[in-house]
Amino acid sequence: MTSSRRRPRGGYVMPETRRFHAPGRVNLIGEHTDHTQGLVLPAAIDRGITLEVELGGTTIELTSRQAKGEVRLPADGSVMPAAGWGRFVAAVAAELARAGRAPVGMRGMLTSDLPHESGLSSSAALEVAVALGLMAAADLALAPLELADLCRRAEHRAVGVPSGIMDQAASLLGRAGHAVFLDCATMTHRYVALPADHAMLVVDSGVRRSLESSAYADRTRDLAAALPALEGRRPAEIAVEELDGLLRGLDPLPARRLRHVVTENARVRATEVALSRGDLAALGRLFDEGHQSLRDDYAVTTPELDTLVSLAREAGAVAARMTGAGFGGAIVALVDAGTVESVAAIVLERYARTHARRTGAALVCHSADGADER
Ligand code: GLA
């Protein structure tokens, strides 16, 4: 809710401070499926980005408690900074201008408790928080998935990465206690309850990733070369049993990328079933297979992520896999809430021994509600 309303004080009207919060997300499963209109199962988490602003004026002026620099831009986003987080702010403003937003500005501060470039969607949270502020400034309303798509386009505009809609959708649609099952073709979603007695343990490998410099776009290009074999069907419409026949005749690399995407969509469906039955053993198998597929077929894991997944399983995690785009970043593990702190400590201690040059970090996360004004 609004933290302070206009209050006359000594004859002056005090500026009104508004507060918008957008959570990061952990993707439970459904990795690299969203950009071919597939299935994903992310959860918004209890960490994110908060924007505290006074609305009005013709410029956007923001500072950040955590990130360097400050941003000063025309409210229509018509000037794009050359580098840094201001690009996301400008890109969101520019996309909102295209959607008809009046160029009203805002001035204030961003605060984040989301580690940067670790696969928890800090850029999507930034885009969504800024968009909510700018929409409020100009009295513009958009449906959550319309806004998610607008922020996805802003990501593309800011850093040129052809990412899907999962991160922004998760930040907007999240619900405490639940993951979001999203079909990126129909844009329909439903909520899947998470086991209440388990926590999500995120372990950051300390390998910084940035989608701008990663091979994300290369992977989507490899995959695109295989798609004609589906003759107009989406990977999510292909049964795993059909795969061998369809892959025959394709070059090995595109074939492997497509095999990942088809099997991963099937794992998203199976994970929803396993969660609804409380079948933790099945969940463990599905996460193992998902990680292996990202390692061997989609080729986006790193040795550090592979180690962390094995360590988490050995230490007692019910399920573990890398989360997000890969090429560094973090793993997610589902762990009994009563033992999560000790599992985290064991994983970090062993990780420090196997990858001495890396600094791992553990975060215990809980699913959370989506972005809103607070
Ligand atoms: C990044 C992208 C998402 C998605 C994941 C991989 O987070 O922003 O759209 O493709 O990678 O699943």
Side-chain angles (χ1 to χ4, degrees):
M1 288 313 298
T2 304
S3 53
S4 67
R5 290 283 166 201
R6 283 179 191 282
R7 283 186 301 255
R9 232 191 246 168
Y12 293 102
V13 175
M14 296 298 288
E16 177 185 9
T17 300
R18 309 269 296 259
R19 196 162 179 269
F20 304 88
H21 176 81
R25 64 99 188 91
V26 162
N27 188 20
L28 288 180
I29 201 153
E31 221 64 87
H32 292 283
T33 49
D34 59 351
H35 44 74
T36 45
Q37 297 181 296
L39 308 172
V40 292
L41 191 65
I45 56 173
D46 52 352
R47 281 175 172 259
I49 293 188
T50 302
L51 171 72
E52 283 174 288
V53 273
E54 289 160 17
L55 306 180
T58 55
T59 54
I60 302 169
E61 295 174 40
L62 296 177
T63 54
S64 157
R65 264 188 227 281
Q66 284 74 27
K68 276 192 297 213
E70 57 184 42
V71 161
R72 193 166 196 281
L73 301 164
D76 64 358
S78 53
V79 175
M80 173 66 79
W85 55 272
R87 290 172 300 168
F88 296 98
V89 178
V92 167
E95 286 296 335
L96 282 167
R98 278 188 64 200
R101 193 191 81 97
V104 185
M106 61 186 185
R107 199 175 54 189
M109 159 91 74
L110 289 155
T111 311
S112 170
D113 60 1
L114 210 50
H116 188 45
E117 290 178 359
S118 62
L120 299 179
S121 294
S122 54
S123 61
L126 172 61
E127 289 148 16
V128 170
V130 166
L132 290 182
L134 289 175
M135 283 162 57
D139 256 332
L140 176 73
L142 292 173
L145 285 172
E146 216 180 322
L147 178 57
D149 198 40
L150 184 145
C151 290
R152 180 195 61 76
R153 293 196 301 273
E155 174 104 21
H156 201 172
R157 183 189 279 259
V159 289
V161 179
S163 48
I165 199 172
M166 168 172 70
D167 304 346
Q168 293 83 0
S171 183
L172 280 153
L173 297 174
R175 181 183 283 180
H178 297 80
V180 185
F181 182 108
L182 176 68
D183 181 332
C184 300
T186 58
M187 292 314 289
T188 50
H189 68 282
R190 52 184 181 260
Y191 292 101
V192 182
L194 293 170
D197 48 356
H198 283 67
M200 291 183 284
L201 171 64
V202 172
V203 188
D204 189 343
S205 64
V207 179
R208 292 276 65 85
R209 57 165 275 275
S210 154
L211 284 183
E212 298 157 59
S213 58
S214 76
Y216 188 100
D218 297 345
R219 296 296 181 281
T220 56
R221 260 195 306 273
D222 294 344
L223 177 61
L227 295 179
L230 307 186
E231 295 179 338
R233 288 190 293 165
R234 294 181 290 120
E237 294 170 307
I238 306 297
V240 172
E241 298 70 41
E242 289 178 75
L243 254 181
D244 283 348
L246 286 167
L247 299 185
R248 219 168 284 136
L250 284 180
D251 287 343
L253 202 67
R256 292 210 326 261
R257 307 298 185 246
L258 180 58
R259 187 166 59 196
H260 164 71
V261 176
V262 169
T263 57
E264 184 78 349
N265 280 303
R267 282 186 288 272
V268 176
R269 292 194 181 91
T271 299
E272 183 188 25
V273 173
L275 281 169
S276 65
R277 293 185 181 151
D279 186 345
L280 298 180
L283 218 53
R285 278 194 303 277
L286 289 160
F287 275 42
D288 287 344
E289 287 165 18
H291 186 83
Q292 284 154 20
S293 176
L294 287 161
R295 184 190 62 201
D296 302 337
D297 281 347
Y298 213 70
V300 293
T301 75
T302 62
E304 290 85 352
L305 292 170
D306 300 341
T307 302
L308 283 174
V309 166
S310 307
L311 291 177
R313 291 290 267 153
E314 280 161 33
V318 160
R321 54 180 286 283
M322 61 150 261
T323 186
F327 317 107
I331 67 154
V332 58
L334 277 185
V335 185
D336 184 293
T339 61
V340 67
E341 299 292 346
S342 63
V343 169
I346 293 170
V347 170
L348 287 182
E349 190 256 321
R350 293 184 185 160
Y351 185 60
R353 275 195 264 139
T354 44
H355 291 276
R357 286 176 32 251
R358 303 291 185 198
T359 310
L363 284 181
V364 179
C365 296
H366 300 96
S367 55
D369 287 338
D372 59 6
E373 184 168 4
R374 302 205 161 155

